[in-house]
Amino acid sequence: QVQLEESGGGSVQAGGSLRLSCAASRYIDRENCMGWFRQVPGKEREGVAVISSGGGSAYYADFVKGRFTISQDNDKKTVYLQMNSLKPEDTALYYCAVNYVWCDDYWSNSRRYGYWGQGTQVTVSS
């Protein structure tokens, strides 16, 4: 079992930046795909960005390309999401998740992820 804990959410004006962190409770000593999803009330959870362990491939949703960057600590226990040029439509509860396979083209399917954090709220005002 692994627990995930998100931090770094908050309120910011449009055009601003936030950096989210996701810390795993232990080192995951196998291949994994770890990253971020988001959800607003009444809508399905959607993939934002993920990264394969060991500095592998990163995948991004089209709506964040060029604005968000996902990265990983060398200890492979923490994943970050640097969010720049934030827009009001980025307002959501952001969740961290991990799946014990390499990231692939189906990365945005939330049902493939077995472990989730509690979420951190991001609010962007216009």
Side-chain angles (χ1 to χ4, degrees), residues 18-93:
L18 286 172
R19 189 191 195 206
L20 304 184
S21 299
C22 173
S25 58
R26 62 171 179 83
Y27 173 72
I28 302 173
D29 58 350
R30 56 174 294 178
E31 70 275 9
N32 66 82
C33 180
M34 190 168 172
W36 298 91
F37 289 72
R38 70 186 188 185
Q39 190 170 24
V40 297
K43 297 185 70 176
E44 288 193 2
R45 196 168 294 186
E46 60 181 3
V48 176
V50 297
I51 187 167
S52 287
S53 57
S57 300
Y59 293 76
Y60 294 91
D62 287 343
F63 53 79
V64 303
K65 284 181 180 177
R67 301 189 298 125
F68 293 9
T69 303
I70 191 169
S71 60
Q72 186 176 58
D73 259 355
N74 289 334
D75 66 2
K76 304 177 188 177
K77 291 178 60 177
T78 306
V79 169
Y80 304 97
L81 185 68
Q82 178 66 43
M83 305 187 295
N84 298 327
S85 302
L86 283 161
K87 305 174 181 180
E89 51 263 44
D90 293 319
T91 296
L93 189 59

